[in-house]
Amino acid sequence: MYDYMKSLQQQFESKPEYIQDLKTEVNQIHKELSARLSKEDRRLLLKLVDLEDALKCEATLHSFVSGYRLACGIHYELSAEPMYSFDREEEKRSCAMLFKSEE
């Protein structure tokens, strides 16, 4: 399922120019910082950057999947006959609770 969602995400994802500018700046600062650090510290920095990137990718995909599910739910509700009504659902729930309390 996630492979399908990743494919959809890539198809619909737009990357504004400012995001590319931010990536360029991040890479530049990473190179500058890496040059100032010892070999051991560079490994640690690289691990941190990799973990942040993985976290960003997971969060982005999770956000896309959540939005997709929301859109599917909205589509389902709009196409349902009769159309979904929050008031009607609340009335049914209230009646069910009333009948349970009377028993």
Side-chain angles (χ1 to χ4, degrees):
M1 175 71 173
Y2 263 26
D3 288 340
Y4 176 71
M5 296 309 273
K6 283 181 183 180
S7 174
L8 278 177
Q9 180 187 21
Q10 287 177 352
Q11 182 180 354
F12 293 106
E13 187 176 48
S14 63
K15 295 187 180 183
E17 191 175 307
Y18 72 91
I19 290 178
Q20 188 57 42
D21 294 342
L22 287 173
K23 282 184 177 183
T24 302
E25 186 176 354
V26 166
N27 287 334
Q28 180 184 356
I29 292 172
H30 177 261
K31 286 178 184 177
E32 288 177 22
L33 183 59
S34 184
R36 295 179 186 185
L37 298 174
S38 68
K39 189 174 184 177
E40 189 175 308
D41 290 338
R42 279 186 293 220
R43 283 189 186 132
L44 192 58
L45 176 63
L46 186 57
K47 185 175 181 177
L48 176 64
V49 169
D50 288 344
L51 288 172
E52 285 180 328
D53 188 49
L55 180 62
K56 178 194 67 123
C57 289
E58 280 297 314
T60 302
L61 180 60
H62 178 73
S63 178
F64 181 81
V65 170
S66 296
Y68 186 83
R69 286 181 177 158
L70 176 62
C72 287
I74 291 170
H75 172 73
Y76 176 77
E77 287 181 13
L78 291 175
S79 64
E81 291 293 331
M83 193 175 252
Y84 173 79
S85 169
F86 178 78
D87 292 334
R88 190 174 25 231
E89 185 177 311
E90 283 296 300
E91 186 177 331
K92 284 180 186 177
R93 190 176 61 78
S94 297
C95 288
M97 288 176 64
L98 181 64
F99 288 130
K100 283 183 183 179
S101 66
E102 289 179 355
E103 293 175 348

